[in-house]
Amino acid sequence: MAEICAALVILGVTAYAVFGSADFGAGFWDLTAGGAERGGRMRGMIQRSMSPVWEANHVWLIFVLVMVWTAFPVAFGSLMSTLSIPLFLAALGVIFRGMAFALRGQAATINEARVLGAVFALSSVLIPFFFGAAIGGVASGRVPVGNAAGDLIDSWLNPTSIAIGVVAILTGAHLAAVFLTGDAKRADLPDMVAAFRKRAIGSGIAAGAVALVSLFVVRSDARDLYDGLTSGDGLVAVLGSALFGLLTIVLVAVGRYGPARFAAAAAVGAMTIGWALAQDPYILPGALTLDDAAASDTTLTALVVSVGLGMLVLVPSLWWLYRLVLRGTLDQEYEPLDQRFRPVDS
């Protein structure tokens, strides 16, 4: 039963790494879009694509938290206390980012609009870094068992954490660019297709290069993790991620934006699964195995049954939402937006 719960946690982490990261990545492109004139059309496209789904994309974060604290309470307490700083900053960023996205169209002055825009864009970059840094702390074996038993700083500010944090930022930017290219194609906006296509290819190459360099960082900083990623099932997952990443770039380059979405998601999913396989059978590497961390069989059984019942509602709801989005049913009218997120021509 513990393995089933762990598989559900990995499922949730993978879903959040795809949908949540793409959401943050859109903020990255908003940050780098340029000034009012140059960035107006791009911000309009980002706003149009994000509006129907940005809240739903983060349901997986709640799912993962509930699963871990219920199924693996000792591990949850250990990592939430030792990694309290990056996780607190990430949670704060999620709150302020959502607030800024909801309010930035209501700013009374250009200064208010710029503040809200900066909060949204900077949060979109910092949140994936903090989550990636926290994952690096766990994967590199810097989270021992106990309440705040690990170093509160070194546990997430270390070579492996920084490398994974940067990979998380670039991966989100790549996912967002791939998704936005397809959305721009559906909106019949050739200039936006060209703009996001260029960003999708460039960010994909950058993410792949940084991921490759990160392996050397991990080799010198977290040898057990490196060995897990370069042998056995972990190696298969890493190679799968690389192949799907290359396939995504090729599909974007030849204009197959629909299949490119799934290839990009598969690349991220393989990367997440590779991490889990690399540290198997540990949930906290070197300190706590999955079986030792698991709650009682009664609790796990009740959790799996509850999740099964919840999935009967959640999965069809999300499937229908994304189907409506891909059909264009929920599309808003496209219009370039100024820095107050009002139509440029108004």
Side-chain angles (χ1 to χ4, degrees):
M1 197 58 75
E3 286 75 12
I4 294 175
C5 290
L8 290 170
V9 171
I10 294 302
L11 171 67
V13 171
T14 301
Y16 194 58
V18 173
F19 297 111
S21 292
D23 207 74
F24 297 134
F28 177 89
W29 297 122
D30 187 291
L31 176 66
T32 57
E37 288 295 327
R38 191 163 64 91
R41 289 184 62 77
M42 191 166 287
R43 290 196 178 90
M45 191 66 234
I46 293 169
Q47 179 83 2
R48 180 180 185 272
S49 293
M50 283 185 62
S51 294
V53 297
W54 72 278
E55 291 171 302
N57 286 338
H58 297 280
V59 70
W60 295 106
L61 176 60
I62 300 170
F63 174 82
V64 170
L65 290 175
V66 172
M67 285 296 302
V68 177
W69 89 47
T70 307
F72 310 105
V74 174
F76 182 82
S78 301
L79 64 89
M80 290 298 286
S81 55
T82 292
L83 298 171
S84 56
I85 294 176
L87 294 176
F88 172 77
L89 292 174
L92 200 64
V94 169
I95 294 169
F96 278 98
R97 180 178 183 273
M99 177 273 295
F101 184 78
L103 295 180
R104 63 183 185 173
Q106 311 302 320
T109 67
I110 186 63
N111 287 335
E112 288 182 9
R114 285 172 175 164
V115 170
L116 290 170
V119 170
F120 169 75
L122 288 176
S123 297
S124 298
V125 174
L126 293 176
I127 293 168
F129 175 81
F130 288 132
F131 278 136
I135 289 173
V138 174
S140 61
R142 288 181 165 90
V143 180
V145 177
N147 184 27
D151 191 302
L152 295 183
I153 302 300
D154 179 68
S155 60
W156 65 281
L157 272 183
N158 58 74
T160 299
S161 290
I162 293 172
I164 295 178
V166 174
V167 170
I169 294 172
L170 292 174
T171 301
H174 176 58
L175 282 167
V178 172
F179 291 0
L180 284 163
T181 305
D183 291 346
K185 175 70 174 178
R186 192 176 64 247
D188 196 22
L189 297 169
D191 62 325
M192 289 293 96
V193 172
F196 284 114
R197 178 174 175 270
K198 182 170 64 177
R199 285 163 174 75
I201 294 174
S203 61
I205 294 172
V210 172
L212 184 60
V213 171
S214 297
L215 276 178
F216 293 98
V217 175
V218 171
R219 185 176 184 274
S220 63
D221 183 64
R223 187 65 194 217
D224 290 343
L225 175 62
Y226 175 81
D227 290 343
L229 290 171
T230 56
S231 63
D233 294 337
L235 177 60
V236 173
V238 169
L239 292 176
S241 179
L243 289 175
F244 277 117
L246 287 173
L247 179 61
T248 303
I249 292 174
V250 171
L251 289 170
V252 170
V254 300
R256 298 291 305 277
Y257 306 125
R261 292 175 186 263
F262 296 100
V268 174
M271 188 190 305
T272 307
I273 293 170
W275 162 45
L277 292 172
Q279 68 175 55
D280 183 56
Y282 290 99
I283 190 168
L284 296 178
L288 189 66
T289 65
L290 192 68
D291 289 336
D292 290 339
S296 68
D297 287 343
T298 303
T299 300
L300 297 181
T301 301
L303 179 62
V304 170
V305 172
S306 301
V307 169
L309 293 174
M311 287 291 181
L312 293 176
V313 177
L314 177 64
V315 173
S317 299
L318 290 178
W319 176 82
W320 185 243
L321 172 64
Y322 291 121
R323 183 172 174 79
L324 291 176
V325 170
L326 293 176
R327 280 180 172 180
T329 307
L330 302 180
D331 283 348
Q332 301 175 359
E333 183 180 354
Y334 170 77
E335 49 192 0
L337 300 175
D338 62 17
Q339 288 179 304
R340 294 176 68 178
F341 289 86
R342 296 176 179 178
V344 169
D345 296 333
S346 64

